[in-house]
Amino acid sequence: MITPRRTRLLRVPDLTDFRRTICALCSGTSLGAADARAVVVPTRAAAAQLGRTMVDLNGTKAPDGPLLLTRDQLYDELHARLASPPRRLTPLERDTIAQAAAHAVARVGAPLPFQIRPGLVAEMVRFYDQLRRQSQRVERFEELIFEALGGPDREDRGVERLLAQTRFLAGAFRAYERRILECGACDEHLLRERLIDEAARSPLRHVIVTVPDWIADPAGLFLADFDLLTRLPGLEALDIVCPESVLRSGFHERVHSWLPGIEEDTTGTSRRLPFGPRLVCPTPGPASADLWFTYRDREEELIAIARRLKSEGHTPADLGRTAVVFKRPLPYLYLAPDTFGAAGIAYEVSDALPLAAEPTVAAVDVILDAVETRFSRNALIALLRSPHLRFADEGVPVTPEAIGALDRTLSNLRYLGDIARLESLASSWLEEGTCEAAEPALRAALAAARGLVGFLEPAPAAGHIERLAAFIEGHFRPLDNASPFAAREHRARVTIMQLLRDLSAAHLAHHNPTWTIDDLVAAVRRWVGEETFLVETGSRGVRLVDDQAARYGEYDDITIVGLVESEWPEQPRRNVFYPSGLLKALGWPSEKDRRAAADARFVDLHTSAAQTVVLSTFTLDDDAPATRSLQLDDVARAGLSTVTFEAGHELPAFPDEALLHEPPQLECVGQEARPWAEMRACRSSADHPEFHGRVGSQASRSWSVSALETYLACPFKFFAQHALRLEEEPEDEEVMDPRRRGRLVHEVFEEFFRSWQAAGNGQISAANLEAARRMLVEVVDRSLARLPESEAGLERTRLLGSSAAAGLGEAVFRMEAERPVPVVERLLEHPLRGRFVMSTVSGPRVVELRGKADRLDLLADGTFRLIDYKLGWPPDKSRALQLPIYGLCAEQRLAEDRSRRWTLGEAVYIAFGGPRRVVPLFTSTASRDEVLGSAQQRLVDTLDAIERGEFPPSPDDVYRCDTCSFASVCRKDYVGDV
């Protein structure tokens, strides 16, 4: 029975009259003070837009206007008005109570076909709320499902599973309700009963509902909400304002069935075309006459809007009556600073974003990552480098230089994680003073790891969360109050800490299971992900609003963006427990009703603006193909007149365009960047040699042959490494990277051949091959003792082989055993340094070089064999330098050191990658002379290019750029063009 003195359904023709009707209802004073009237809106952003509309239409300013409340805020307001309000459970408390109830029922019932995880419990609470909001009791829910399934007597395994699930859910819901009653608090559903039974101290006299039901709008009210409003003590008037199109979609029939006897009234006068807004369309093409614009992605959508606004010359007042409307705020709100902000267009946002999007939350992530990865190098360094946290050594903050030194040292020590290994490394390292620059960071990292290592042991949930909160709070970096972001970061920190404290208190009071680190990480990230954070901009400008808030704002021009199938219409949330057929028996709507209401709201939005409407879609979303929304087919239903957008001569809209303009327009640059821009404007043009890596003549100096090979691979990489002296970022791998593996292979064979020679052995032959194999096994085992067990096993197989394939050692032994000339002496890791004579087309040339030959075998016939170990494929002979130049240098140096002439007889690569293990540099005397002559000319040409200062980014293979460590500092836009 309807108890308010007046209950009306006000039908309005469109959103313009929708807003005017709401404002007119709020302007009356017959029902008491302003705080006795409430307007129910879908979101906080909608409340902000309606507040501005009231100022524009009524001149009403807060706090003189009515209360603008979302559904949840309405319950908060009604709860606060009770004479003795009961304590309300927070969502955290409700979730922990539901977890306790679910586990209790699972322990005494039949085995479940699924595991009870926190995410599943959250879905259970959501499902329970949905049932109760539709005025369904738990007993009735169970009866309806049993009836729909045909009862427990059906012999069907699928039915049996659904029946078992239903018994469990019903049992968990009853246990949940009992626990709430026992704790003396209330949730939303108990509060509804209390609000109906008990009069408020100062009741609401007038409620204006501006949202339909949850079927017609995801943010709408439920049957239980309408029932509450019709039975609320003290409420004198209930007005439901709704556009005609939404009523016709099915809401009209439902509201009359829920509120029998409700009065109806038609208000407002529909605007008649052509006085309504005009639809701005792209210029028709030969194959398309779309009424909407299509862009590459969301960023291009906003860029196009910014260009249009700049070209039309809108004033700040005009911008305040311009709206960009989206279905989802992300990623548009992230893109706005780089589009509207970069174009100098003021914009304003009033929306609740995920708390997880706040930069401060990264502090929580790096802490959890450090524990999850068992304090891996990357995670520890990220923790120390966090701009939101502060780590100190003896009270002195750790510097970035110390953290960088620690990063490099841990990488060199092959530290991959585990606090015990970190403690061991640190103990020996600090005693020996291995790297003084990194010691402060090491001590800080150790202190942080010791403070977090307790999370690796299972413990009660509340204790884990409380310790995490204490660690975060104790390491927050002091805020810079002069920063424009200080207030926002402070709010984010307070929100994070309050969330963790509330979560700990909820588990301590209602359900405190033993958690592992995985449980802690999942719970914290889940609740942080569900928390929202209100973001507001201070400047007045283009309004960025979602489609629900847009219904409440007065705009001259709106642009609806992101019209893709996955968002327009909004996809319903899937129920994880029952298929749609069973849900229909519980009162869930059909897809037809939901879609009809969504289409009606979409069409209504077209008529909301006073002057123009623009529609846009895109084809790529995060590089994945996107399909336009089928709702675009309904555009014609709005009956708008169209006008073609004529793109005129557009001035630069963004700083990059202004700077590339001829001449550059430096007024777009701020004062701090102006000197930089002026300097850049005076730089050499792209046609000048300096632009292409020519830095001027360089002094002659000694170079390593391996460095010169780097120049041949890419001159700019050589420049970055050897002139700029930039360091490559170290990377952690579960197995050794190629550089470390190559170092290990060289060390193994160097130690083997030293031991082999020291034992009086000479040439490896068939007679002593087994002895060589046994000695290699001993050397390999000693070399691998310092590696982790799993890594050592892999490298042992690589070096010694297995039943499936021969190892690297076997390739080395067989190569020597197949050569008939005995080895007199082996020179291992033989240094070649000094001045050497190179023959070139212009005559002899003396150059200063340094290098180290992997292995040089002096043979009994007066020749020597040069061997170069290659972990991967052998280099291209036409570009190789090391092996031929080492051969020439060795000939010259051996003649000086050993009082006889030694000739390079053989030079081979022993390659551990590729189809061939032994790859000769040359195969005959003629080819030897040709290869050596070509290498000498190539070496001299390389030295000349370096001395001329030529370092263009011109790799011998453009695919090198994909893995190059210096890509971030390389001007590689013309790679392949020179």
Side-chain angles (χ1 to χ4, degrees), residues 278-431:
R278 294 176 301 169
L279 181 65
V280 179
C281 307
T283 303
S288 173
D290 291 339
L291 300 177
W292 56 87
F293 293 83
T294 301
Y295 300 101
R296 180 183 183 276
D297 51 27
R298 299 180 198 265
E299 185 174 15
E300 284 198 2
E301 284 185 300
L302 296 187
I303 289 174
I305 297 170
R307 290 191 192 283
R308 190 171 68 247
L309 294 175
K310 293 280 283 191
S311 65
E312 293 172 354
H314 286 273
T315 65
D318 295 334
L319 292 177
R321 292 185 62 84
T322 301
V324 176
V325 181
F326 38 72
K327 177 67 74 171
R328 298 176 185 169
L330 301 182
Y332 290 104
L333 299 190
Y334 291 156
L335 294 172
D338 294 330
T339 51
F340 291 136
I345 297 174
Y347 66 93
E348 54 183 308
V349 175
S350 179
D351 213 327
L353 296 179
L355 175 63
E358 287 301 297
T360 309
V361 177
V364 182
D365 280 331
V366 295
I367 291 170
L368 295 176
D369 283 343
V371 184
E372 267 192 304
T373 61
R374 272 57 176 176
F375 311 106
S376 69
R377 179 182 65 85
N378 280 339
L380 269 180
I381 296 302
L383 181 65
L384 294 179
R385 284 177 172 162
S386 171
H388 307 285
L389 301 174
R390 179 182 182 271
F391 295 92
D393 174 41
E394 298 180 353
V396 179
V398 178
T399 64
E401 292 76 14
I403 298 172
L406 175 66
D407 189 20
R408 292 187 293 274
T409 306
L410 291 179
S411 177
N412 293 334
L413 292 173
R414 297 284 295 131
Y415 171 76
L416 298 177
D418 185 52
I419 191 172
R421 176 160 165 74
L422 182 63
E423 295 272 11
S424 174
L425 288 174
S427 177
S428 58
W429 183 13
L430 292 174
E431 287 178 6

Side-chain angles (χ1 to χ4, degrees), residues 705 834-849 881 884-890 892 932-933 935-940 943:
V705 181
R835 298 171 68 84
F836 300 94
V837 179
M838 297 291 139
S839 299
T840 70
V841 293
S842 57
R845 172 89 169 268
V846 177
V847 297
E848 190 169 353
L849 299 173
L881 275 184
I885 297 301
Y886 285 169
L888 290 164
C889 293
Q892 297 178 31
L932 296 183
Q936 292 176 83
Q937 186 64 49
R938 192 160 54 249
L939 173 79
V940 171
L943 289 171

